[in-house]
Amino acid sequence: MVLLGAPSVPHIGASVACRVDAGLRRRHAALRTAGHVLGHLGEARGWTHSGHSHFPGQARLDFDPTGHEDELATPDLRDAVRAELQAQMDELLASGAAVSASVDAAGHRTVTIEGVNAEPCGGTHVRTLADLAGVRILEVKVKRGAIKVRYEAEHRDSAEGDAA
C-alpha cells in the first residue's frame, strides 16, 4: 500500500493520520442515497437495473431497455417519463424516511430506506430523505443498449455528524 504524500510504506503498528473531506462525503452520501431511491422507482416501472455511477457530475443509473422501447421511443415520451420519475422522487423525498444500515452475521451490509427498499451497499448515505436537497432527474435516454437516467442531488447540510 502506498499513501499519497508518504515517503514510504508505514510499518505495521505505525500511526498514520488522515482527513475526510466532510463536504465531499456529504455530497457522495446524497448522490448514493438518491440513486437508491431512483433505482427503486425504475424497478417499480419494470426496468431491470444494469449499472450505475454515483459520482458528482456524472451520476446516473442504467437499466435494460428490453420491452420498454415503446415508452421511450421519442424525446417527448422520454421527457414524460423523466417528469413522472421526478414527481415520484419528490413524493418519496417529502416523506423524510429514515435511512439505516445493518450488518448481518456474515458481514454483509444492507442499507434500508424506510418504506422504499433495502439492498446491499457499502457506501455512505444520508440519515433521512429529508437530508436531500436539489434532487433532479436531468435526463432519460436510451444509449448504447441501456436506459440511462442522469440525476443530481445535494446534501441539505443541516444534519451534523456522520452519515449512515
Side-chain angles (χ1 to χ4, degrees), residues 37-45 47 63 71-72 78-93 135-141 147-150:
V37 176
L38 183 55
H40 165 74
L41 294 174
E43 290 170 359
R45 294 183 70 82
W47 297 352
F63 300 92
E71 72 180 297
L72 302 167
R78 290 188 295 275
D79 192 54
V81 168
R82 185 207 58 73
E84 184 179 314
L85 288 170
Q86 184 69 60
Q88 293 169 336
M89 175 70 79
D90 293 345
E91 183 177 336
L92 285 173
L93 296 182
V135 179
R136 291 186 33 226
I137 311 300
L138 301 172
E139 179 181 43
V140 175
K141 65 182 176 181
I147 300 168
K148 297 188 178 289
V149 183
R150 290 188 330 104

Side-chain angles (χ1 to χ4, degrees), residues 49-118:
H49 182 213
S50 62
H52 57 265
S53 170
H54 300 299
F55 291 101
Q58 56 183 339
R60 69 168 205 299
L61 267 71
D62 299 342
F63 300 92
D64 182 349
T66 305
H68 301 281
E69 298 85 358
D70 290 346
E71 72 180 297
L72 302 167
T74 68
D76 286 344
L77 289 172
R78 290 188 295 275
D79 192 54
V81 168
R82 185 207 58 73
E84 184 179 314
L85 288 170
Q86 184 69 60
Q88 293 169 336
M89 175 70 79
D90 293 345
E91 183 177 336
L92 285 173
L93 296 182
S95 75
V99 180
S100 62
S102 61
V103 179
D104 67 17
H108 301 119
R109 185 170 186 260
T110 299
V111 171
T112 300
I113 302 173
E114 185 181 349
V116 176
N117 71 354

Side-chain angles (χ1 to χ4, degrees), residues 21-31 124-135 153-163:
D21 181 329
L24 184 58
R25 182 171 189 264
R26 282 191 300 274
R27 186 161 189 215
H28 280 281
L31 287 166
T124 186
H125 300 81
V126 299
R127 291 182 184 271
T128 73
L129 294 184
D131 289 336
L132 295 175
V135 179
E154 294 292 333
H155 194 288
R156 191 168 304 283
D157 285 330
S158 61
E160 292 296 323
D162 290 337

